[in-house]
Amino acid sequence: MNRIEGRVKVTGLATYAAEYPAEGVTYAYPVQSRIAKGRVKHVDAAPALELPGVLAVLSCEDPPSLAEDADPELALFRSRDIAYRGQIIAAVVADTYDNARAAADAVRVDYDPDDHDVTLRMDHPGLYKPDVVNPNYPTDTELGDVEAGLAEAATTVDVVYETPVMHNNPMEPHAALAYWDEDGRLMLYDTAQGSSTSRDMVAHTLGLPKDQVRVVARHVGGGFGSKGTTRPQAVLAALAAKAVGRPVKIALTRQQMFDVTGYRTPTIQRLRLGADGEGRLTALEHVAYEQTSTIAEFAEQTATVARVMYATPALRTRHRLVRLDVGTPSWMRAPGECPGMYALESAMDELAYAAGIDPVELRLRNEPETEPYSGLPFSSRDLVGCLREGARRFGWEQRDPAPGVRREGEWLIGTGVASSTYPARRRPSKALAKVLDGGDVLVQVGAADIGTGARTALTRIAAATLNVAPERVHVELGDSDLPDGPVAGGSMGTASWGSAVVRACEELVKDGKEGRADTTDEVAKEAELARHAFGAQFAEVRVSTVTGEVRVSRLLGVFAAGHIVDAKLARSQFIGGMTMGLGMALMEETLTDEEFGGFLHRDLAQYHVPVCADIRDVEAVWLDEQDDALNPMGSKGIGEIGIVGTAAAVGNAVFHATGHRVRELPITPAKVLGHTF
């Protein structure tokens, strides 16, 4: 199907959070901390209040009443403590955006600064073991004797890989429009990946009952995790609207988004692998070092992928965090799996070369019968099929295994492979389906369409269940007043909302007029299985021996992700993820300012992302996979698995081209030219 919302998007009729009209609207603009650690001694609002159109200045001088256990990133102006550079410490409300921005510059803040620490390192004295890692996995696991397995191995590798701070950078900036109605109910238009979850968090932060808050997010211009939880602009809009008694609109600048809307934590990962003479793993250790903030803990589940991928009698995974004077890291597309698989699949490539075994063959030889750490049976797993089909399509058998030998003029050419994986989850959801006067069907669910085509996918699911043409189904979503739905994140949106839509449509068929569903009990009764999607990524690169430039000439992804609901949507999602993985490999990096705190790369002029010219040929295909242990559609989430493994495939291809391994992302020309060709 074509996108149902395609026409309104390309004609500009789709309304995003900052675009909703409101009578008497005013504008808020934040004031951000210029120090990385310390306290606010005094906020002088007088110069701002003297400027034209200024209605109010919010700050810690008159702290708002918020929930005691509110998320510290959302508890605006409650404390004078400064946890990181760029933290919102005040805000101006004015009659126009320009007046608000000018007045924000006029606010005078007196600081009591302190020494700060913003650098992650493996030997940091503040490293500690968190209780759990996201979302609720054990921090450390141990199976068998790793040291003995390494000692008896015929081949071992001991390597450290690093990934930098990365930012989500959705096209639509984080924005909100808020007003309070006559009954004291908050109306909030928010850039949220889940209207139900945003309502719950905003209500909790403000100390309100859920029914006193309504959140609308009918169109969201990308999120990649950064809009998966409520961000400060939503709470700021609500507080400002309460303060001035008028609607308040706020849209963060790109630079402000770098400071207050989350980012992917940098990682330092050490992997030790051992294999016997046949290339079968004897031991695998994966240790991840990451950062969090001093005000909240975010523990990315980076090493959990090692618990899923390969058969080994000895397996150890560990996570260590350090609290730094930085903003709190947050969700970014495939959190944990993305950086974790980059390191694991790069290390597997190193093991393959050290053992003299083809990289595809090494992975095939270590295919597990059950999930390696838990021992649970897989609901389905066809990584082997993905690797074999990918190798066939890519022409892998024509590859010269020796690195650094294929050359065309100044260009060295190489190919690489990596595996992909992502959990196949679903959460409880509600839905309503009812017959309209003309005989068409209205389906309502608190889902979110963040550019992934959720409306289209849910329309197809409903139409198939009802056995009617898709044109007769109308899906309404993006409003917390609709039946509750979980967040669009974790590659579980379609599986969660779709399950509820199927059940509601089944009830409609029985009733003839209306059907309601709540899948809470159904999800709770799921059999305990290891549910994951899998894939294989293949990359061909060209590396200039003159400039160090890396060009990706081919990318191929082959995936096994259950039933594909819509081929056009799926291809778009897979290619989008793979493109983002290419950016991770070669371009994306947010530098931290060690002297002053905060980030040095704070806009799209400096934080580079891939464009169409950066890859000549990208292809995504999938295998037919039947899995009846997932949900009524038999589908697995695909929004994130495309990014997983891509960076490793590119990095492995760069090694094959040059014979030199770059273990710190991104792989820039300077790093490539650090080696002699």
Side-chain angles (χ1 to χ4, degrees):
M1 287 178 63
N2 289 326
R3 295 286 185 97
I4 287 174
E5 79 282 7
R7 180 175 293 276
V8 297
K9 283 185 173 178
V10 299
T11 57
L13 296 176
T15 308
Y16 294 82
E19 300 175 334
Y20 283 91
E23 186 176 350
V25 68
T26 63
Y27 298 84
Y29 196 88
V31 177
Q32 297 176 267
S33 170
R34 295 184 179 180
I35 66 171
K37 184 180 181 181
R39 286 178 58 82
V40 174
K41 293 172 65 175
H42 179 64
V43 177
D44 183 4
L49 292 169
E50 293 174 358
L51 295 177
V54 175
L55 303 174
V57 175
L58 287 66
S59 75
C60 59
E61 300 297 338
D62 184 17
S65 177
L66 300 173
E68 287 298 321
D69 59 346
D71 182 330
E73 293 282 8
L74 302 180
L76 300 177
F77 321 130
R78 189 173 66 184
S79 171
R80 293 181 179 271
D81 293 334
I82 294 172
Y84 58 93
R85 186 180 181 91
Q87 182 178 337
I88 296 175
I89 55 175
V92 173
V93 187
D95 58 347
T96 70
Y97 176 83
D98 289 337
N99 282 343
R101 186 165 187 166
D105 286 338
V107 173
R108 298 292 174 255
V109 181
D110 188 14
Y111 299 100
D112 183 11
D114 198 355
D115 294 336
H116 62 265
D117 180 6
V118 295
T119 305
L120 172 68
R121 61 182 197 270
M122 288 178 68
D123 61 350
H124 197 291
L127 285 166
Y128 71 97
K129 174 185 173 183
D131 292 336
V132 295
V133 293
N134 298 328
N136 195 31
Y137 290 119
T139 301
D140 296 355
T141 60
E142 187 133 9
L143 177 71
D145 190 332
V146 169
E147 302 305 329
L150 292 171
E152 69 185 32
T155 306
T156 61
V157 295
D158 185 344
V159 288
V160 174
Y161 282 86
E162 297 185 36
T163 61
V165 171
M166 287 180 276
H167 274 83
N168 312 59
N169 278 306
M171 184 175 290
E172 178 199 21
H174 290 66
L177 167 65
Y179 63 86
W180 299 80
D181 65 22
E182 295 177 354
D183 297 324
R185 192 185 194 210
L186 172 63
M187 179 68 197
L188 179 66
Y189 296 92
D190 187 20
T191 47
Q193 289 180 222
S195 54
S196 303
T197 51
S198 180
R199 172 205 60 202
D200 293 351
M201 187 165 286
V202 170
H204 177 78
T205 302
L206 299 178
L208 297 173
K210 291 180 183 180
D211 61 5
Q212 285 296 102
V213 178
R214 180 185 179 191
V215 173
V216 172
R218 294 194 178 97
H219 295 282
V220 180
F224 311 112
S226 69
K227 299 172 184 174
T229 56
T230 301
R231 297 302 178 188
Q233 86 284 343
V235 175
L236 177 54
L239 293 175
K242 176 73 77 173
V244 300
R246 290 169 59 180
V248 171
K249 185 178 290 189
I250 177 173
L252 297 182
T253 66
R254 183 65 58 177
Q255 290 83 1
Q256 290 165 347
M257 288 167 60
F258 272 74
D259 293 327
V260 300
T261 65
Y263 59 91
R264 194 192 298 280
T265 176
T267 70
I268 303 171
Q269 302 176 59
R270 183 185 181 190
L271 287 105
R272 295 196 296 161
L273 284 71
D276 63 19
E278 299 298 318
R280 292 179 174 83
L281 289 172
T282 59
L284 194 166
E285 180 186 57
H286 191 167
V287 182
Y289 302 88
E290 305 160 357
Q291 72 186 37
T292 189
S293 71
T294 59
I295 57 174
E297 182 179 277
F298 186 88
E300 188 143 323
Q301 67 278 24
T302 305
T304 58
V305 291
R307 306 170 190 175
V308 173
M309 288 306 299
Y310 300 115
T312 176
L315 173 63
R316 178 189 295 147
T317 65
R318 290 177 176 170
H319 298 82
R320 295 297 180 265
L321 283 183
V322 60
R323 295 189 180 275
L324 300 176
D325 302 310
V326 296
T328 308
S330 188
W331 314 98
M332 183 172 174
R333 199 172 198 169
E337 286 79 9
C338 183
M341 283 294 279
Y342 160 68
L344 175 60
E345 289 302 292
S346 299
M348 284 290 287
D349 198 64
E350 297 209 38
L351 182 65
Y353 280 99
I357 300 173
D358 178 83
V360 171
E361 179 60 28
L362 179 71
R363 289 166 172 81
L364 295 176
R365 292 185 188 182
N366 288 282
E367 175 70 6
E369 295 183 2
T370 59
E371 191 175 55
Y373 176 70
S374 71
L376 290 172
F378 290 101
S379 63
S380 59
R381 174 179 168 126
D382 200 3
L383 174 59
V384 168
C386 293
L387 287 165
R388 287 177 172 160
E389 177 63 12
R392 184 189 70 79
R393 287 175 175 265
F394 201 71
W396 188 261
E397 73 282 353
Q398 301 169 12
R399 176 183 192 260
D400 187 329
V405 298
R406 187 177 171 192
R407 186 167 185 155
E408 293 180 1
E410 72 180 70
W411 296 93
L412 294 168
I413 302 170
T415 52
V417 65
S419 300
S420 302
T421 187
Y422 199 78
R425 305 185 183 100
R426 65 171 173 162
R427 285 184 178 175
S429 181
K430 298 178 182 178
L432 168 66
K434 60 182 178 181
V435 178
L436 301 174
D437 290 341
D440 286 0
V441 176
L442 175 65
V443 174
Q444 296 179 317
V445 57
D449 196 329
I450 58 174
T452 54
R455 285 179 179 83
T456 307
L458 294 175
T459 297
R460 288 204 63 153
I461 290 169
T465 307
L466 296 169
N467 195 27
V468 301
E471 293 77 15
R472 293 187 56 197
V473 176
H474 308 279
V475 172
E476 187 178 358
L477 47 72
D479 189 331
S480 65
D481 276 2
L482 299 175
D484 284 356
V487 68
S491 293
M492 60 186 177
T494 300
S496 303
W497 312 318
S499 296
V501 168
V502 168
R503 301 308 182 211
C505 289
E506 289 173 345
E507 291 300 312
L508 173 60
V509 171
K510 296 177 184 177
D511 181 81
K513 295 182 180 179
E514 181 178 291
R516 294 180 179 271
D518 181 345
T519 62
T520 301
D521 290 341
E522 179 178 328
V523 172
K525 294 176 183 177
E526 285 182 335
E528 192 174 7
L529 296 168
R531 297 176 174 86
H532 304 272
F534 292 93
Q537 307 270 13
F538 292 80
E540 179 185 81
V541 303
R542 301 168 64 86
V543 183
S544 170
T545 57
V546 177
T547 66
E549 176 184 3
V550 178
R551 285 285 184 181
V552 178
S553 48
R554 281 195 296 157
L555 267 185
L556 168 67
V558 182
F559 303 96
H563 171 67
I564 298 300
V565 173
D566 183 276
K568 188 177 292 187
L569 295 178
R571 181 178 182 275
S572 178
Q573 280 297 290
F574 286 137
I575 289 178
M578 292 165 65
T579 304
M580 205 167 177
L582 168 65
M584 175 185 179
L586 301 181
M587 305 171 190
E588 296 189 44
E589 178 180 28
T590 309
L591 294 180
T592 301
D593 188 334
E594 295 187 2
E595 183 176 359
F596 297 105
F599 298 121
L600 292 170
H601 290 179
R602 300 178 64 240
D603 56 41
L604 293 176
Q606 300 174 85
Y607 187 97
H608 296 163
V609 297
V611 296
C612 294
D614 286 312
I615 181 167
R616 188 177 66 195
D617 182 7
V618 56
E619 182 182 8
V621 298
W622 49 87
L623 308 179
D624 291 328
E625 184 176 61
Q626 181 71 31
D627 191 331
D628 298 325
L630 299 169
N631 50 62
M633 300 80 64
S635 64
K636 297 178 180 179
I638 61 172
E640 288 164 286
I641 192 173
I643 193 176
V644 179
T646 306
V650 172
N652 293 339
V654 170
F655 170 76
H656 183 239
T658 65
H660 299 287
R661 184 78 60 173
V662 179
R663 298 189 179 95
E664 180 183 349
L665 292 183
I667 303 171
T668 61
K671 294 173 185 175
V672 172
L673 290 177
H675 302 287
T676 302
F677 295 113

